[in-house]
PDB file of all heavy atoms in Angstrom:
ATOM      1  N   LEU A   1     116.190 120.801 104.731  1.00  0.00           N
ATOM      2  CA  LEU A   1     115.048 119.890 104.749  1.00  0.00           C
ATOM      3  C   LEU A   1     115.043 119.180 106.088  1.00  0.00           C
ATOM      4  O   LEU A   1     115.992 118.467 106.421  1.00  0.00           O
ATOM      5  CB  LEU A   1     115.153 118.875 103.611  1.00  0.00           C
ATOM      6  CG  LEU A   1     114.052 117.813 103.530  1.00  0.00           C
ATOM      7  CD1 LEU A   1     112.697 118.445 103.277  1.00  0.00           C
ATOM      8  CD2 LEU A   1     114.370 116.784 102.448  1.00  0.00           C
ATOM      9  N   LYS A   2     114.003 119.398 106.872  1.00  0.00           N
ATOM     10  CA  LYS A   2     113.897 118.812 108.207  1.00  0.00           C
ATOM     11  C   LYS A   2     112.704 117.870 108.253  1.00  0.00           C
ATOM     12  O   LYS A   2     111.572 118.277 107.985  1.00  0.00           O
ATOM     13  CB  LYS A   2     113.737 119.915 109.256  1.00  0.00           C
ATOM     14  CG  LYS A   2     113.651 119.413 110.692  1.00  0.00           C
ATOM     15  CD  LYS A   2     113.401 120.563 111.653  1.00  0.00           C
ATOM     16  CE  LYS A   2     111.991 121.101 111.511  1.00  0.00           C
ATOM     17  NZ  LYS A   2     111.701 122.230 112.426  1.00  0.00           N
ATOM     18  N   ILE A   3     112.951 116.621 108.583  1.00  0.00           N
ATOM     19  CA  ILE A   3     111.881 115.626 108.603  1.00  0.00           C
ATOM     20  C   ILE A   3     111.848 114.945 109.970  1.00  0.00           C
ATOM     21  O   ILE A   3     112.887 114.505 110.486  1.00  0.00           O
ATOM     22  CB  ILE A   3     112.077 114.568 107.500  1.00  0.00           C
ATOM     23  CG1 ILE A   3     112.112 115.246 106.121  1.00  0.00           C
ATOM     24  CG2 ILE A   3     110.958 113.540 107.548  1.00  0.00           C
ATOM     25  CD1 ILE A   3     112.289 114.278 104.967  1.00  0.00           C
ATOM     26  N   VAL A   4     110.661 114.863 110.537  1.00  0.00           N
ATOM     27  CA  VAL A   4     110.479 114.181 111.820  1.00  0.00           C
ATOM     28  C   VAL A   4     110.569 112.675 111.605  1.00  0.00           C
ATOM     29  O   VAL A   4     109.949 112.120 110.689  1.00  0.00           O
ATOM     30  CB  VAL A   4     109.118 114.548 112.441  1.00  0.00           C
ATOM     31  CG1 VAL A   4     108.836 113.691 113.679  1.00  0.00           C
ATOM     32  CG2 VAL A   4     109.090 116.029 112.808  1.00  0.00           C
ATOM     33  N   VAL A   5     111.345 112.032 112.440  1.00  0.00           N
ATOM     34  CA  VAL A   5     111.474 110.576 112.382  1.00  0.00           C
ATOM     35  C   VAL A   5     110.408 109.968 113.294  1.00  0.00           C
ATOM     36  O   VAL A   5     110.448 110.121 114.517  1.00  0.00           O
ATOM     37  CB  VAL A   5     112.875 110.117 112.828  1.00  0.00           C
ATOM     38  CG1 VAL A   5     112.983 108.587 112.738  1.00  0.00           C
ATOM     39  CG2 VAL A   5     113.952 110.779 111.978  1.00  0.00           C
ATOM     40  N   ASP A   6     109.448 109.298 112.670  1.00  0.00           N
ATOM     41  CA  ASP A   6     108.388 108.637 113.421  1.00  0.00           C
ATOM     42  C   ASP A   6     108.152 107.261 112.811  1.00  0.00           C
ATOM     43  O   ASP A   6     109.001 106.746 112.064  1.00  0.00           O
ATOM     44  CB  ASP A   6     107.106 109.477 113.424  1.00  0.00           C
ATOM     45  CG  ASP A   6     106.583 109.754 112.003  1.00  0.00           C
ATOM     46  OD1 ASP A   6     107.108 109.161 111.034  1.00  0.00           O
ATOM     47  OD2 ASP A   6     105.641 110.557 111.866  1.00  0.00           O
ATOM     48  N   GLU A   7     107.002 106.661 113.094  1.00  0.00           N
ATOM     49  CA  GLU A   7     106.737 105.313 112.578  1.00  0.00           C
ATOM     50  C   GLU A   7     106.513 105.296 111.071  1.00  0.00           C
ATOM     51  O   GLU A   7     106.585 104.232 110.438  1.00  0.00           O
ATOM     52  CB  GLU A   7     105.524 104.700 113.302  1.00  0.00           C
ATOM     53  CG  GLU A   7     104.194 105.377 113.022  1.00  0.00           C
ATOM     54  CD  GLU A   7     103.873 106.506 113.984  1.00  0.00           C
ATOM     55  OE1 GLU A   7     104.827 107.127 114.510  1.00  0.00           O
ATOM     56  OE2 GLU A   7     102.673 106.758 114.196  1.00  0.00           O
ATOM     57  N   HIS A   8     106.265 106.441 110.468  1.00  0.00           N
ATOM     58  CA  HIS A   8     105.945 106.501 109.045  1.00  0.00           C
ATOM     59  C   HIS A   8     107.168 106.689 108.137  1.00  0.00           C
ATOM     60  O   HIS A   8     107.172 106.220 106.998  1.00  0.00           O
ATOM     61  CB  HIS A   8     104.959 107.640 108.783  1.00  0.00           C
ATOM     62  CG  HIS A   8     103.685 107.537 109.546  1.00  0.00           C
ATOM     63  ND1 HIS A   8     102.782 106.521 109.344  1.00  0.00           N
ATOM     64  CD2 HIS A   8     103.167 108.318 110.532  1.00  0.00           C
ATOM     65  CE1 HIS A   8     101.756 106.674 110.168  1.00  0.00           C
ATOM     66  NE2 HIS A   8     101.963 107.751 110.886  1.00  0.00           N
ATOM     67  N   LEU A   9     108.178 107.389 108.606  1.00  0.00           N
ATOM     68  CA  LEU A   9     109.331 107.683 107.760  1.00  0.00           C
ATOM     69  C   LEU A   9     110.093 106.407 107.434  1.00  0.00           C
ATOM     70  O   LEU A   9     110.336 105.567 108.315  1.00  0.00           O
ATOM     71  CB  LEU A   9     110.257 108.684 108.452  1.00  0.00           C
ATOM     72  CG  LEU A   9     111.428 109.177 107.604  1.00  0.00           C
ATOM     73  CD1 LEU A   9     110.947 109.955 106.392  1.00  0.00           C
ATOM     74  CD2 LEU A   9     112.384 110.011 108.453  1.00  0.00           C
ATOM     75  N   ASN A  10     110.491 106.253 106.166  1.00  0.00           N
ATOM     76  CA  ASN A  10     111.250 105.071 105.770  1.00  0.00           C
ATOM     77  C   ASN A  10     112.239 105.425 104.661  1.00  0.00           C
ATOM     78  O   ASN A  10     112.245 106.553 104.143  1.00  0.00           O
ATOM     79  CB  ASN A  10     110.312 103.944 105.315  1.00  0.00           C
ATOM     80  CG  ASN A  10     109.397 104.376 104.180  1.00  0.00           C
ATOM     81  OD1 ASN A  10     109.856 104.816 103.122  1.00  0.00           O
ATOM     82  ND2 ASN A  10     108.084 104.250 104.377  1.00  0.00           N
ATOM     83  N   GLU A  11     113.070 104.474 104.271  1.00  0.00           N
ATOM     84  CA  GLU A  11     114.100 104.721 103.275  1.00  0.00           C
ATOM     85  C   GLU A  11     113.511 105.110 101.928  1.00  0.00           C
ATOM     86  O   GLU A  11     114.073 105.939 101.208  1.00  0.00           O
ATOM     87  CB  GLU A  11     114.983 103.481 103.125  1.00  0.00           C
ATOM     88  CG  GLU A  11     115.846 103.186 104.341  1.00  0.00           C
ATOM     89  CD  GLU A  11     116.810 102.038 104.103  1.00  0.00           C
ATOM     90  OE1 GLU A  11     116.942 101.597 102.931  1.00  0.00           O
ATOM     91  OE2 GLU A  11     117.443 101.581 105.080  1.00  0.00           O
ATOM     92  N   GLY A  12     112.388 104.525 101.577  1.00  0.00           N
ATOM     93  CA  GLY A  12     111.772 104.830 100.288  1.00  0.00           C
ATOM     94  C   GLY A  12     111.435 106.303 100.145  1.00  0.00           C
ATOM     95  O   GLY A  12     111.581 106.880  99.055  1.00  0.00           O
ATOM     96  N   ILE A  13     111.008 106.927 101.231  1.00  0.00           N
ATOM     97  CA  ILE A  13     110.684 108.356 101.194  1.00  0.00           C
ATOM     98  C   ILE A  13     111.951 109.171 100.978  1.00  0.00           C
ATOM     99  O   ILE A  13     111.983 110.097 100.151  1.00  0.00           O
ATOM    100  CB  ILE A  13     109.974 108.771 102.498  1.00  0.00           C
ATOM    101  CG1 ILE A  13     108.595 108.109 102.561  1.00  0.00           C
ATOM    102  CG2 ILE A  13     109.846 110.295 102.589  1.00  0.00           C
ATOM    103  CD1 ILE A  13     107.986 108.070 103.936  1.00  0.00           C
ATOM    104  N   LEU A  14     113.003 108.833 101.681  1.00  0.00           N
ATOM    105  CA  LEU A  14     114.251 109.589 101.568  1.00  0.00           C
ATOM    106  C   LEU A  14     114.978 109.328 100.250  1.00  0.00           C
ATOM    107  O   LEU A  14     115.906 110.060  99.906  1.00  0.00           O
ATOM    108  CB  LEU A  14     115.167 109.270 102.751  1.00  0.00           C
ATOM    109  CG  LEU A  14     114.605 109.640 104.132  1.00  0.00           C
ATOM    110  CD1 LEU A  14     115.605 109.299 105.223  1.00  0.00           C
ATOM    111  CD2 LEU A  14     114.233 111.118 104.191  1.00  0.00           C
ATOM    112  N   GLU A  15     114.556 108.313  99.511  1.00  0.00           N
ATOM    113  CA  GLU A  15     115.134 108.026  98.200  1.00  0.00           C
ATOM    114  C   GLU A  15     114.409 108.740  97.063  1.00  0.00           C
ATOM    115  O   GLU A  15     114.815 108.625  95.898  1.00  0.00           O
ATOM    116  CB  GLU A  15     115.126 106.516  97.949  1.00  0.00           C
ATOM    117  CG  GLU A  15     116.127 105.760  98.812  1.00  0.00           C
ATOM    118  CD  GLU A  15     115.951 104.257  98.732  1.00  0.00           C
ATOM    119  OE1 GLU A  15     114.896 103.805  98.206  1.00  0.00           O
ATOM    120  OE2 GLU A  15     116.838 103.530  99.219  1.00  0.00           O
ATOM    121  N   ARG A  16     113.362 109.483  97.374  1.00  0.00           N
ATOM    122  CA  ARG A  16     112.622 110.181  96.331  1.00  0.00           C
ATOM    123  C   ARG A  16     113.514 111.187  95.599  1.00  0.00           C
ATOM    124  O   ARG A  16     114.417 111.778  96.187  1.00  0.00           O
ATOM    125  CB  ARG A  16     111.403 110.887  96.927  1.00  0.00           C
ATOM    126  CG  ARG A  16     110.344 109.915  97.427  1.00  0.00           C
ATOM    127  CD  ARG A  16     109.173 110.660  98.038  1.00  0.00           C
ATOM    128  NE  ARG A  16     108.163 109.730  98.545  1.00  0.00           N
ATOM    129  CZ  ARG A  16     107.036 110.092  99.164  1.00  0.00           C
ATOM    130  NH1 ARG A  16     106.778 111.387  99.325  1.00  0.00           N
ATOM    131  NH2 ARG A  16     106.177 109.188  99.601  1.00  0.00           N
ATOM    132  N   GLU A  17     113.209 111.388  94.328  1.00  0.00           N
ATOM    133  CA  GLU A  17     114.049 112.223  93.461  1.00  0.00           C
ATOM    134  C   GLU A  17     114.190 113.647  93.992  1.00  0.00           C
ATOM    135  O   GLU A  17     115.273 114.229  93.965  1.00  0.00           O
ATOM    136  CB  GLU A  17     113.448 112.252  92.045  1.00  0.00           C
ATOM    137  CG  GLU A  17     114.329 112.935  91.015  1.00  0.00           C
ATOM    138  CD  GLU A  17     115.595 112.159  90.695  1.00  0.00           C
ATOM    139  OE1 GLU A  17     115.623 110.917  90.898  1.00  0.00           O
ATOM    140  OE2 GLU A  17     116.562 112.797  90.253  1.00  0.00           O
ATOM    141  N   TYR A  18     113.100 114.241  94.480  1.00  0.00           N
ATOM    142  CA  TYR A  18     113.162 115.640  94.912  1.00  0.00           C
ATOM    143  C   TYR A  18     113.867 115.810  96.257  1.00  0.00           C
ATOM    144  O   TYR A  18     114.232 116.927  96.639  1.00  0.00           O
ATOM    145  CB  TYR A  18     111.755 116.259  94.961  1.00  0.00           C
ATOM    146  CG  TYR A  18     110.786 115.609  95.926  1.00  0.00           C
ATOM    147  CD1 TYR A  18     110.721 115.991  97.262  1.00  0.00           C
ATOM    148  CD2 TYR A  18     109.902 114.621  95.485  1.00  0.00           C
ATOM    149  CE1 TYR A  18     109.824 115.412  98.133  1.00  0.00           C
ATOM    150  CE2 TYR A  18     108.992 114.037  96.349  1.00  0.00           C
ATOM    151  CZ  TYR A  18     108.955 114.432  97.667  1.00  0.00           C
ATOM    152  OH  TYR A  18     108.058 113.853  98.535  1.00  0.00           O
ATOM    153  N   ILE A  19     114.082 114.719  96.979  1.00  0.00           N
ATOM    154  CA  ILE A  19     114.814 114.779  98.240  1.00  0.00           C
ATOM    155  C   ILE A  19     116.312 114.573  98.025  1.00  0.00           C
ATOM    156  O   ILE A  19     117.139 115.041  98.817  1.00  0.00           O
ATOM    157  CB  ILE A  19     114.230 113.751  99.239  1.00  0.00           C
ATOM    158  CG1 ILE A  19     112.841 114.221  99.704  1.00  0.00           C
ATOM    159  CG2 ILE A  19     115.142 113.526 100.433  1.00  0.00           C
ATOM    160  CD1 ILE A  19     112.146 113.307 100.674  1.00  0.00           C
ATOM    161  N   ARG A  20     116.675 113.934  96.915  1.00  0.00           N
ATOM    162  CA  ARG A  20     118.075 113.602  96.649  1.00  0.00           C
ATOM    163  C   ARG A  20     119.022 114.796  96.730  1.00  0.00           C
ATOM    164  O   ARG A  20     120.110 114.682  97.327  1.00  0.00           O
ATOM    165  CB  ARG A  20     118.198 112.924  95.285  1.00  0.00           C
ATOM    166  CG  ARG A  20     119.625 112.455  94.957  1.00  0.00           C
ATOM    167  CD  ARG A  20     119.661 111.710  93.650  1.00  0.00           C
ATOM    168  NE  ARG A  20     118.780 110.547  93.681  1.00  0.00           N
ATOM    169  CZ  ARG A  20     118.451 109.849  92.595  1.00  0.00           C
ATOM    170  NH1 ARG A  20     118.902 110.223  91.410  1.00  0.00           N
ATOM    171  NH2 ARG A  20     117.662 108.791  92.706  1.00  0.00           N
ATOM    172  N   PRO A  21     118.671 115.973  96.165  1.00  0.00           N
ATOM    173  CA  PRO A  21     119.614 117.103  96.254  1.00  0.00           C
ATOM    174  C   PRO A  21     119.940 117.508  97.686  1.00  0.00           C
ATOM    175  O   PRO A  21     121.081 117.909  97.978  1.00  0.00           O
ATOM    176  CB  PRO A  21     118.879 118.223  95.516  1.00  0.00           C
ATOM    177  CG  PRO A  21     117.949 117.516  94.583  1.00  0.00           C
ATOM    178  CD  PRO A  21     117.505 116.302  95.318  1.00  0.00           C
ATOM    179  N   PHE A  22     118.975 117.396  98.593  1.00  0.00           N
ATOM    180  CA  PHE A  22     119.229 117.734  99.990  1.00  0.00           C
ATOM    181  C   PHE A  22     120.175 116.720 100.630  1.00  0.00           C
ATOM    182  O   PHE A  22     121.035 117.085 101.439  1.00  0.00           O
ATOM    183  CB  PHE A  22     117.910 117.787 100.773  1.00  0.00           C
ATOM    184  CG  PHE A  22     116.978 118.865 100.316  1.00  0.00           C
ATOM    185  CD1 PHE A  22     115.982 118.601  99.373  1.00  0.00           C
ATOM    186  CD2 PHE A  22     117.102 120.158 100.791  1.00  0.00           C
ATOM    187  CE1 PHE A  22     115.127 119.605  98.943  1.00  0.00           C
ATOM    188  CE2 PHE A  22     116.248 121.170 100.360  1.00  0.00           C
ATOM    189  CZ  PHE A  22     115.267 120.888  99.439  1.00  0.00           C
ATOM    190  N   VAL A  23     120.031 115.464 100.243  1.00  0.00           N
ATOM    191  CA  VAL A  23     120.920 114.415 100.739  1.00  0.00           C
ATOM    192  C   VAL A  23     122.340 114.650 100.215  1.00  0.00           C
ATOM    193  O   VAL A  23     123.313 114.626 100.973  1.00  0.00           O
ATOM    194  CB  VAL A  23     120.405 113.025 100.322  1.00  0.00           C
ATOM    195  CG1 VAL A  23     121.429 111.947 100.681  1.00  0.00           C
ATOM    196  CG2 VAL A  23     119.059 112.731 100.979  1.00  0.00           C
ATOM    197  N   GLU A  24     122.453 114.914  98.930  1.00  0.00           N
ATOM    198  CA  GLU A  24     123.773 115.093  98.310  1.00  0.00           C
ATOM    199  C   GLU A  24     124.510 116.302  98.861  1.00  0.00           C
ATOM    200  O   GLU A  24     125.742 116.297  98.974  1.00  0.00           O
ATOM    201  CB  GLU A  24     123.608 115.207  96.800  1.00  0.00           C
ATOM    202  CG  GLU A  24     123.132 113.916  96.137  1.00  0.00           C
ATOM    203  CD  GLU A  24     122.844 114.091  94.658  1.00  0.00           C
ATOM    204  OE1 GLU A  24     122.782 115.246  94.189  1.00  0.00           O
ATOM    205  OE2 GLU A  24     122.661 113.052  93.976  1.00  0.00           O
ATOM    206  N   LYS A  25     123.774 117.351  99.216  1.00  0.00           N
ATOM    207  CA  LYS A  25     124.394 118.585  99.719  1.00  0.00           C
ATOM    208  C   LYS A  25     124.524 118.620 101.245  1.00  0.00           C
ATOM    209  O   LYS A  25     124.997 119.608 101.803  1.00  0.00           O
ATOM    210  CB  LYS A  25     123.594 119.798  99.253  1.00  0.00           C
ATOM    211  CG  LYS A  25     123.588 119.986  97.744  1.00  0.00           C
ATOM    212  CD  LYS A  25     122.681 121.144  97.342  1.00  0.00           C
ATOM    213  CE  LYS A  25     122.607 121.300  95.836  1.00  0.00           C
ATOM    214  NZ  LYS A  25     121.677 122.395  95.433  1.00  0.00           N
ATOM    215  N   GLY A  26     124.101 117.551 101.904  1.00  0.00           N
ATOM    216  CA  GLY A  26     124.185 117.517 103.364  1.00  0.00           C
ATOM    217  C   GLY A  26     123.220 118.465 104.047  1.00  0.00           C
ATOM    218  O   GLY A  26     123.510 118.990 105.125  1.00  0.00           O
ATOM    219  N   LEU A  27     122.063 118.665 103.441  1.00  0.00           N
ATOM    220  CA  LEU A  27     121.081 119.618 103.961  1.00  0.00           C
ATOM    221  C   LEU A  27     119.867 118.936 104.589  1.00  0.00           C
ATOM    222  O   LEU A  27     118.841 119.574 104.803  1.00  0.00           O
ATOM    223  CB  LEU A  27     120.608 120.547 102.832  1.00  0.00           C
ATOM    224  CG  LEU A  27     121.692 121.408 102.186  1.00  0.00           C
ATOM    225  CD1 LEU A  27     121.115 122.207 101.027  1.00  0.00           C
ATOM    226  CD2 LEU A  27     122.325 122.339 103.213  1.00  0.00           C
ATOM    227  N   LEU A  28     119.998 117.646 104.883  1.00  0.00           N
ATOM    228  CA  LEU A  28     118.897 116.895 105.475  1.00  0.00           C
ATOM    229  C   LEU A  28     119.074 116.795 106.988  1.00  0.00           C
ATOM    230  O   LEU A  28     120.116 116.358 107.479  1.00  0.00           O
ATOM    231  CB  LEU A  28     118.821 115.496 104.869  1.00  0.00           C
ATOM    232  CG  LEU A  28     117.794 114.526 105.486  1.00  0.00           C
ATOM    233  CD1 LEU A  28     116.378 115.068 105.326  1.00  0.00           C
ATOM    234  CD2 LEU A  28     117.919 113.142 104.853  1.00  0.00           C
ATOM    235  N   VAL A  29     118.046 117.225 107.709  1.00  0.00           N
ATOM    236  CA  VAL A  29     118.002 117.107 109.163  1.00  0.00           C
ATOM    237  C   VAL A  29     116.942 116.080 109.537  1.00  0.00           C
ATOM    238  O   VAL A  29     115.793 116.175 109.082  1.00  0.00           O
ATOM    239  CB  VAL A  29     117.652 118.453 109.830  1.00  0.00           C
ATOM    240  CG1 VAL A  29     117.469 118.272 111.333  1.00  0.00           C
ATOM    241  CG2 VAL A  29     118.723 119.485 109.546  1.00  0.00           C
ATOM    242  N   LEU A  30     117.316 115.123 110.348  1.00  0.00           N
ATOM    243  CA  LEU A  30     116.366 114.149 110.877  1.00  0.00           C
ATOM    244  C   LEU A  30     116.103 114.494 112.340  1.00  0.00           C
ATOM    245  O   LEU A  30     117.037 114.581 113.139  1.00  0.00           O
ATOM    246  CB  LEU A  30     116.915 112.728 110.742  1.00  0.00           C
ATOM    247  CG  LEU A  30     117.116 112.229 109.309  1.00  0.00           C
ATOM    248  CD1 LEU A  30     117.699 110.817 109.317  1.00  0.00           C
ATOM    249  CD2 LEU A  30     115.808 112.265 108.523  1.00  0.00           C
ATOM    250  N   GLN A  31     114.843 114.687 112.665  1.00  0.00           N
ATOM    251  CA  GLN A  31     114.458 115.103 114.013  1.00  0.00           C
ATOM    252  C   GLN A  31     113.608 114.009 114.664  1.00  0.00           C
ATOM    253  O   GLN A  31     112.425 113.863 114.342  1.00  0.00           O
ATOM    254  CB  GLN A  31     113.672 116.408 113.938  1.00  0.00           C
ATOM    255  CG  GLN A  31     113.223 116.948 115.294  1.00  0.00           C
ATOM    256  CD  GLN A  31     112.525 118.277 115.128  1.00  0.00           C
ATOM    257  OE1 GLN A  31     113.147 119.281 114.803  1.00  0.00           O
ATOM    258  NE2 GLN A  31     111.209 118.306 115.334  1.00  0.00           N
ATOM    259  N   PRO A  32     114.205 113.215 115.550  1.00  0.00           N
ATOM    260  CA  PRO A  32     113.425 112.171 116.218  1.00  0.00           C
ATOM    261  C   PRO A  32     112.215 112.753 116.941  1.00  0.00           C
ATOM    262  O   PRO A  32     112.294 113.827 117.539  1.00  0.00           O
ATOM    263  CB  PRO A  32     114.431 111.568 117.212  1.00  0.00           C
ATOM    264  CG  PRO A  32     115.772 111.858 116.608  1.00  0.00           C
ATOM    265  CD  PRO A  32     115.616 113.198 115.958  1.00  0.00           C
ATOM    266  N   LEU A  33     111.121 112.043 116.857  1.00  0.00           N
ATOM    267  CA  LEU A  33     109.864 112.494 117.445  1.00  0.00           C
ATOM    268  C   LEU A  33     110.006 112.716 118.947  1.00  0.00           C
ATOM    269  O   LEU A  33     110.581 111.902 119.666  1.00  0.00           O
ATOM    270  CB  LEU A  33     108.780 111.442 117.180  1.00  0.00           C
ATOM    271  CG  LEU A  33     107.400 111.702 117.784  1.00  0.00           C
ATOM    272  CD1 LEU A  33     106.739 112.906 117.125  1.00  0.00           C
ATOM    273  CD2 LEU A  33     106.513 110.463 117.628  1.00  0.00           C
ATOM    274  N   TRP A  34     109.479 113.861 119.399  1.00  0.00           N
ATOM    275  CA  TRP A  34     109.365 114.141 120.830  1.00  0.00           C
ATOM    276  C   TRP A  34     107.920 113.868 121.233  1.00  0.00           C
ATOM    277  O   TRP A  34     106.994 114.452 120.684  1.00  0.00           O
ATOM    278  CB  TRP A  34     109.729 115.593 121.113  1.00  0.00           C
ATOM    279  CG  TRP A  34     109.550 116.010 122.541  1.00  0.00           C
ATOM    280  CD1 TRP A  34     108.387 116.397 123.136  1.00  0.00           C
ATOM    281  CD2 TRP A  34     110.558 116.077 123.558  1.00  0.00           C
ATOM    282  NE1 TRP A  34     108.600 116.715 124.459  1.00  0.00           N
ATOM    283  CE2 TRP A  34     109.921 116.523 124.744  1.00  0.00           C
ATOM    284  CE3 TRP A  34     111.926 115.808 123.584  1.00  0.00           C
ATOM    285  CZ2 TRP A  34     110.617 116.708 125.940  1.00  0.00           C
ATOM    286  CZ3 TRP A  34     112.610 115.990 124.776  1.00  0.00           C
ATOM    287  CH2 TRP A  34     111.972 116.424 125.936  1.00  0.00           C
ATOM    288  N   GLU A  35     107.741 112.967 122.179  1.00  0.00           N
ATOM    289  CA  GLU A  35     106.378 112.590 122.571  1.00  0.00           C
ATOM    290  C   GLU A  35     106.337 112.262 124.044  1.00  0.00           C
ATOM    291  O   GLU A  35     107.171 111.504 124.556  1.00  0.00           O
ATOM    292  CB  GLU A  35     105.919 111.375 121.747  1.00  0.00           C
ATOM    293  CG  GLU A  35     104.458 111.026 121.899  1.00  0.00           C
ATOM    294  CD  GLU A  35     104.051 109.901 120.959  1.00  0.00           C
ATOM    295  OE1 GLU A  35     104.713 108.844 120.975  1.00  0.00           O
ATOM    296  OE2 GLU A  35     103.077 110.081 120.218  1.00  0.00           O
ATOM    297  N   ASN A  36     105.368 112.867 124.736  1.00  0.00           N
ATOM    298  CA  ASN A  36     105.169 112.615 126.166  1.00  0.00           C
ATOM    299  C   ASN A  36     106.449 112.824 126.976  1.00  0.00           C
ATOM    300  O   ASN A  36     106.778 112.047 127.873  1.00  0.00           O
ATOM    301  CB  ASN A  36     104.639 111.194 126.386  1.00  0.00           C
ATOM    302  CG  ASN A  36     103.299 110.965 125.727  1.00  0.00           C
ATOM    303  OD1 ASN A  36     102.451 111.866 125.687  1.00  0.00           O
ATOM    304  ND2 ASN A  36     103.091 109.778 125.175  1.00  0.00           N
ATOM    305  N   GLY A  37     107.176 113.863 126.617  1.00  0.00           N
ATOM    306  CA  GLY A  37     108.348 114.244 127.406  1.00  0.00           C
ATOM    307  C   GLY A  37     109.610 113.467 127.122  1.00  0.00           C
ATOM    308  O   GLY A  37     110.586 113.576 127.881  1.00  0.00           O
ATOM    309  N   SER A  38     109.636 112.683 126.062  1.00  0.00           N
ATOM    310  CA  SER A  38     110.860 111.938 125.755  1.00  0.00           C
ATOM    311  C   SER A  38     111.041 111.796 124.242  1.00  0.00           C
ATOM    312  O   SER A  38     110.109 111.977 123.467  1.00  0.00           O
ATOM    313  CB  SER A  38     110.820 110.548 126.406  1.00  0.00           C
ATOM    314  OG  SER A  38     109.748 109.779 125.891  1.00  0.00           O
ATOM    315  N   VAL A  39     112.274 111.462 123.855  1.00  0.00           N
ATOM    316  CA  VAL A  39     112.630 111.325 122.446  1.00  0.00           C
ATOM    317  C   VAL A  39     112.357 109.895 121.988  1.00  0.00           C
ATOM    318  O   VAL A  39     112.728 108.930 122.663  1.00  0.00           O
ATOM    319  CB  VAL A  39     114.115 111.672 122.227  1.00  0.00           C
ATOM    320  CG1 VAL A  39     114.490 111.495 120.764  1.00  0.00           C
ATOM    321  CG2 VAL A  39     114.394 113.093 122.678  1.00  0.00           C
ATOM    322  N   LYS A  40     111.719 109.764 120.819  1.00  0.00           N
ATOM    323  CA  LYS A  40     111.388 108.447 120.280  1.00  0.00           C
ATOM    324  C   LYS A  40     112.180 108.204 118.984  1.00  0.00           C
ATOM    325  O   LYS A  40     112.668 109.126 118.357  1.00  0.00           O
ATOM    326  CB  LYS A  40     109.889 108.353 119.966  1.00  0.00           C
ATOM    327  CG  LYS A  40     108.972 108.770 121.110  1.00  0.00           C
ATOM    328  CD  LYS A  40     108.993 107.792 122.266  1.00  0.00           C
ATOM    329  CE  LYS A  40     107.948 108.182 123.325  1.00  0.00           C
ATOM    330  NZ  LYS A  40     107.953 107.262 124.479  1.00  0.00           N
TER     331      LYS A  40
END
């Protein structure tokens, strides 16, 4: 599970029931937003 980290992502989203198995199994990738040539 790969989710872009931007202004919208928050803890409540990552606490959702269907995301929990990915968290428990270490299968969550957080990808900071790339914008205008730099990482945000």
Side-chain angles (χ1 to χ4, degrees):
L1 178 63
K2 181 184 71 180
I3 301 181
V4 172
V5 181
D6 59 9
E7 67 270 28
H8 302 295
L9 186 64
N10 57 57
E11 292 186 10
I13 292 162
L14 298 181
E15 289 170 347
R16 292 179 181 178
E17 188 69 24
Y18 61 87
I19 289 179
R20 184 176 301 168
F22 296 94
V23 173
E24 293 174 348
K25 296 175 183 178
L27 299 176
L28 174 62
V29 174
L30 295 179
Q31 180 177 290
L33 177 67
W34 176 278
E35 189 175 53
N36 298 324
S38 62
V39 179
K40 309 290 186 181

